Amino acid sequence: NAGVMQNPRHLVRRRGQEARLRCSPMKGHSHVYWYRQLPEEGLKFMVYLQKENIIDESGMPKERFSAEFPKEGPSILRIQQVVRGDSAAYFCASSPDRTQETQYFGPGTRLLVL
Amino acid sequence: DAKTTQPTSMDCAEGRAANLPCNHSTISGNEYVYWYRQIHSQGPQYIIHGLKNNETNEMASLIITEDRKSSTLILPHATLRDTAVYYCIVRVYTGNQFYFGTGTSLTVIP
């Protein structure tokens, strides 16, 4: 049973470009969560999605950031017009259908903005 | 924000038990205690969780005090691969997010 998959594992962008981060949840999981970890800090919640719905985006920056989890395919975290302060590790987690209990995390995407 | 207090760092000799404390004096009756760890910037790994009874699984044991204001994660025989940052988190069972504080950096020494 494959775990949470994230790609790419490393992403380099220049200021002003767009970054797209992908997350495939564990098989049978329809709840996806995105977290960001800045250097030397703990993980910070960004957004919680179910298939085709954003349930909680209280941790998302108001501008340039968006997330989706379509009916088919992976969840996407999109960052437009990236700035150096967006450089961080972005982790995706998923949880089972029936309850939200434990979240299982992917390996993360390391974004570096030059 | 995080509702837990953990020591910043700890050392443990390889093969000995590692006891990681956590204070959560404001925990509510419907909040669980979860433990995760993060090994060298990998994704956080779930370890164990509990409400009020002590819990044990293949990785660790969780001891929760009777008043639920503190808990201890026990790794019975620490190995070098257990070197990681350990996060103690309290959360309602069906909450949307985990609040990760700064955790305890555990170093297992040969």
Side-chain angles (χ1 to χ4, degrees):
Chain A
N1 185 16
V4 177
M5 309 287 286
Q6 290 189 250
N7 69 82
R9 297 291 304 276
H10 300 273
L11 182 61
V12 179
R13 286 287 179 267
R14 297 192 180 279
R15 282 178 295 171
Q17 292 184 320
E18 178 181 286
R20 282 181 178 244
L21 288 63
R22 295 174 185 77
C23 169
S24 296
M26 289 178 68
K27 185 177 180 181
H29 289 194
S30 62
H31 302 251
V32 167
Y33 314 79
W34 286 93
Y35 292 77
R36 177 168 65 174
Q37 186 172 32
L38 296 171
E40 307 303 322
E41 294 187 12
L43 280 76
K44 297 290 193 295
F45 168 80
M46 300 180 75
V47 61
Y48 161 41
L49 311 100
Q50 293 181 21
K51 285 284 187 180
E52 300 184 280
N53 287 302
I54 296 175
I55 307 302
D56 180 355
E57 56 182 346
S58 58
M60 285 281 270
K62 294 291 186 287
E63 299 177 348
R64 302 187 297 107
F65 285 72
S66 62
E68 63 177 9
F69 189 16
K71 186 177 181 180
E72 301 291 338
S75 175
I76 305 288
L77 180 67
R78 181 183 179 202
I79 311 172
Q80 296 178 288
Q81 300 175 317
V82 296
V83 301
R84 288 204 173 129
D86 296 332
S87 295
Y90 292 83
F91 292 98
C92 166
S94 72
S95 64
D97 280 331
R98 292 179 295 139
T99 68
Q100 297 173 41
E101 39 180 88
T102 302
Q103 295 178 13
Y104 297 91
F105 285 80
T109 294
R110 272 88 185 153
L111 172 65
L112 175 63
V113 179
L114 301 177
Chain B
D1 288 356
K3 300 179 181 180
T4 63
T5 304
Q6 299 177 252
T8 302
S9 63
M10 293 180 64
D11 293 338
C12 177
E14 187 179 16
R16 305 296 291 269
N19 297 284
L20 290 86
C22 180
N23 288 322
H24 30 79
S25 58
T26 61
I27 192 170
S28 301
N30 62 346
E31 288 182 316
Y32 284 67
V33 179
Y34 289 79
W35 283 83
Y36 278 80
R37 72 181 182 184
Q38 189 174 25
I39 298 173
H40 191 52
S41 298
Q42 297 177 19
Q45 178 186 23
Y46 166 78
I47 302 173
I48 199 167
H49 74 280
L51 181 62
K52 52 185 176 181
N53 296 322
N54 297 337
E55 302 288 343
T56 296
N57 62 21
E58 65 278 5
M59 288 183 67
S61 294
L62 174 60
I63 309 298
I64 303 173
T65 58
E66 191 168 345
D67 64 7
R68 302 212 320 126
K69 292 186 177 181
S70 66
S71 60
T72 301
L73 178 74
I74 301 173
L75 307 178
H77 305 287
T79 71
L80 299 179
R81 289 180 294 180
D82 291 322
T83 292
V85 177
Y86 287 77
Y87 297 97
C88 170
I89 303 165
V90 296
R91 194 194 73 151
V92 175
Y93 196 61
T94 56
N96 290 342
Q97 58 183 284
F98 284 95
Y99 292 99
F100 287 83
T102 53
T104 296
S105 178
L106 174 69
T107 301
V108 179
I109 301 170

